[in-house]
Amino acid sequence: MELIGRINKRKIYYVQIRNNSDWKFSLPKNDWVAFTIADKEDEELVPPTVKFCLDKNVAFTCSAGTLAISTENYFDEEIALRALDYEMRTKKEFDFENTPITTSHQNFNEGFWFSAIAAHDSNKDIDTIVCLDLTKRKVKRHLKELIEKINNGWLPSDEEIELAEYDS
């Protein structure tokens, strides 16, 4: 995981998943935001990524890329499966108040801005954003540019769909 910047008190990290088999071991242990970037060609990487994020107590997920909605659905489905498993094992009702909040963003820039500025949980102190790049073309340069813009007061456009700018 590489620290690529800060926005207010939040540290922004970047990890490229495709060429880094150790990425899952560097994730925070609690109370962090996962900003996932996945496109159609990355779909096979989404389910294991979702499971690792939930195993590491992610507090908030913001999914971007052309697979944003599907990625958020994977998070929601995995949360529901874990809740069902808990209820079957313990015979107790699962408390959904302690599950991560999930969002998806078809406007990449707005999704990143939301994860860095607005994503919060009133019961947790979230100061770490991890950008999990599942794409082949990478978005690290674009994320660094957005960090600089946000720190200078920039706000994202109101466009419904705005794609990422890829490194290659």
Side-chain angles (χ1 to χ4, degrees), residues 31-119:
D31 304 340
W32 56 288
V33 174
F35 180 69
T36 60
I37 307 102
D39 292 330
K40 277 281 191 212
E41 65 217 13
D42 311 311
E43 191 165 10
E44 78 281 354
L45 298 174
V46 172
T49 300
V50 165
K51 289 177 183 179
F52 283 119
C53 289
L54 292 174
D55 288 346
K56 291 292 195 161
N57 301 307
V58 65
F60 210 108
T61 72
C62 299
S63 301
T66 59
L67 211 60
I69 294 168
S70 295
T71 303
E72 181 188 16
N73 289 339
Y74 275 110
F75 273 107
D76 291 340
E77 183 179 295
E78 184 65 23
I79 290 166
L81 289 171
R82 289 177 183 214
L84 181 61
D85 178 61
Y86 172 84
E87 289 180 350
M88 292 182 72
R89 280 185 298 104
T90 66
K91 308 295 185 221
K92 296 178 185 176
E93 189 173 330
F94 185 80
D95 180 9
F96 281 94
E97 288 295 317
N98 294 318
T99 60
I101 299 165
T102 64
T103 64
S104 62
H105 305 269
Q106 292 184 318
N107 178 325
F108 182 90
N109 295 344
E110 187 272 337
F112 180 70
W113 178 90
F114 183 86
S115 70
I117 299 294

Side-chain angles (χ1 to χ4, degrees), residues 118-142:
H120 76 282
D121 183 322
S122 58
N123 298 319
K124 299 173 181 166
D125 183 29
I126 299 173
D127 64 0
T128 302
I129 313 300
V130 179
C131 303
L132 297 160
D133 189 347
L134 286 68
T135 68
K136 290 180 180 178
R137 297 181 287 165
K138 316 298 175 277
V139 295
K140 183 166 96 173
R141 183 173 19 93
H142 186 57

